[in-house]
Amino acid sequence: EVRLVESGGGKVQPGGSLRLSCAASGFKFNNYWMHWVRQAPGKGLVWVSRINGEGTTTTYADSVKGRFTISRDNAKDTLYLQMNSLRAEDTAVYYCARFQGGGSSDAFDIWGQGIMVTVSS
Amino acid sequence: SYVLTQAPSVSVAPGKTARITCGGDNIGGKSVHWYQQKPGQAPVLVIHYDTDRASGIPDRFSGSNSGNTATLTIGRVEAGDEADYFCQVWDSTSDHQVFGGGTKLTVL
């Protein structure tokens, strides 16, 4: 079964850091671009970041650039999101998602269950 | 940055047809994907590349894309179709993925 499972969420104070993990199973992890997408409570989906299969190319939304770092460990079939200098507006459910193809116009075909991150004092 | 516009809500009676639109500048020139999200759950891909149903999605779901509007059509609507629906495209200018604000489908 193809599966993505996020972990590492929780409550953190403004200015703090948190690292999210996403464990993949059931598919050849290093063949796929992987993304993070977030959803603030009661709001829509917002794309956060992406990384290619080799882990050599990354892209970030302007709202997180310079604060968040996406990475992957293909030996462990795991995707990461290091989040620093967290702000209240980063409060959201964070989803990892598999990109179905090698092109930029493809879709997210597999999603994790999501993990809540709360930034509050 | 590229903006996708969706109506906040659509209501439809059971057995009728629901149409959910996604507006964007020349969106017909892009590949549009649609996701269904039920409360407390992760999004699920329903339509990709404008018109193709994702695996396991019933043929009551269909998509189209032309000009400045993409449309997700749900025929013979059932209570179980009640959910939020999001459209998504790639913005080549920013090299970012973009989502619409979402449409809440209510089955009356």
Side-chain angles (χ1 to χ4, degrees), chain A:
Chain A
E1 180 192 4
V2 175
R3 201 171 177 215
L4 297 171
V5 179
E6 299 97 338
S7 60
K11 184 176 178 180
V12 62
Q13 292 189 339
S17 297
L18 212 55
R19 189 177 83 155
L20 304 183
S21 299
C22 170
S25 58
F27 65 98
K28 193 165 174 55
F29 182 64
N30 62 1
N31 278 359
Y32 291 87
W33 285 79
M34 296 296 297
H35 296 240
W36 289 98
V37 176
R38 69 185 182 185
Q39 186 171 34
K43 302 296 185 181
L45 301 171
V46 176
W47 175 79
V48 173
S49 182
R50 69 171 184 179
I51 187 167
N52 69 338
E54 296 79 15
T56 56
T57 299
T58 59
T59 315
Y60 299 92
D62 292 346
S63 59
V64 306
K65 191 179 296 184
R67 299 188 299 124
F68 290 11
T69 301
I70 190 172
S71 63
R72 63 194 298 161
D73 185 337
N74 287 340
K76 296 182 178 179
D77 290 345
T78 302
L79 175 72
Y80 301 101
L81 186 67
Q82 177 67 44
M83 303 184 294
N84 298 332
S85 303
L86 282 161
R87 307 166 180 167
E89 53 266 36
D90 296 318
T91 294
V93 173
Y94 284 74
Y95 296 98
C96 63
R98 188 180 83 169
F99 213 51
Q100 68 183 160
S104 296
S105 297
D106 294 314
F108 302 103
D109 63 344
I110 303 294
W111 295 69
Q113 86 285 356
I115 192 80
M116 186 70 205
V117 172
T118 302
V119 184
S120 174
S121 54

